[in-house]
Amino acid sequence: MQELIEIGIRQGTILTFDKGIGSDNSIFQDIKAGRFGLFSDGKVGPSNILLVLTQECGIASRNTIEVLQGKKEKRFNEEKYQHLLNAQDYSKLVFKIGEDFYSFKETELSKVNQEAILKLFHDELIRLEQLAHWQKRRLLDWRRLEYTRVPFPDKFNRAFKYYYTAEGKWFPDFLQENQENIDSVRVYISPDNDENADEYNISFCALLTDACSEEQAEEISVKLLEMLTEINEKESFLKPLQLDSYEGEIDVPDAVMLSLTGRYDEFTFANAFHMKEFNLEFLCY
C-alpha cells in the first residue's frame, strides 16, 4: 500500500500507540508469531511498540506488513546485560529508545493488516518515530546473523573476546559511542581457515557514515590504532598489518584495505570479499 509509505511508514519505523486505544482493538488480536508463522497465545498490548521490518517494496505490494513487538523493560541493568544491547543473544535484543529500554524477541514477529494501521494513523491513535540508522542495522543483523554469520577463527575469537571484556572494554564502548559515525568495521584475517594458527595477520578498517566529519575520522583512526597496539602487546600471535612494528612477509591481496578508516565510495565488492564485517556477534561464546 503506497499510502503507508507516503505517511512515513517504512522499514525501521516505530509505531507507538496512543494510551486511549483499547486492547480489544482488532490490530492486537490477529497476531502470527515466530519465524514459522505459528499462532501465539501472546498478544500485542497497547503499551508496547511495533517496529516495521518490511521493506518499502513489500509495503507497496502486500496487504500486510511484518512487525516486531517491543515490550518496555521496567528495570534494565545496562552493565549486567550489555550482551543484549550488543545483539549477542539471538533470542532477545534490547534497544534504548528515548528514555526507555525495549526488549524484542524473535518469537514475537507478527504480521498486521495495513488497512488497520492506516485507520489508526488517520484516527490519530498511533505515532510514528524512526529507529536511528545504527539501530535499524543492528536489528536486521540480529534477525539474520544466527543463520548467516561466518565466524572468525576460534583462536582469534577467544583472544579478542577476552581482550574486549577486560582491559580492552573501552574499544566496544568506543564503537557504541560512535555508531552515528561508524557504519561498520571490516577485518582481514590470514589465515582465515585455520582455527588454531601460530599467528594471524590482521587488518581493521572502520567504514564511516556520511555524517562523520574529518576530525571524527581522525579520532577513530587513532583509537583503532590504539586498540591494535594493545591487542598485539596482549596477544603477540595477532599481527596487525597497520603497526609500524609489523615485520611479517605475506602476500596481502590488493583488495585488502590497509587504511584505518574509509568511506563507502572507496569500498568495493573486492574489498568486501576479503574483509568480513566485524561485530560482537562473531565473538559470542
Side-chain angles (χ1 to χ4, degrees), residues 8-21:
I9 295 179
R10 59 193 67 239
Q11 189 180 72
T13 298
I14 305 167
L15 305 181
T16 304
F17 300 105
D18 185 87
K19 292 181 180 178
I21 195 171

Side-chain angles (χ1 to χ4, degrees), residues 195-210:
E195 299 296 326
N196 193 35
D198 292 335
E199 64 181 32
Y200 293 97
N201 297 283
I202 61 176
S203 175
F204 273 62
C205 178
L207 293 181
L208 308 176
T209 65
D210 291 339

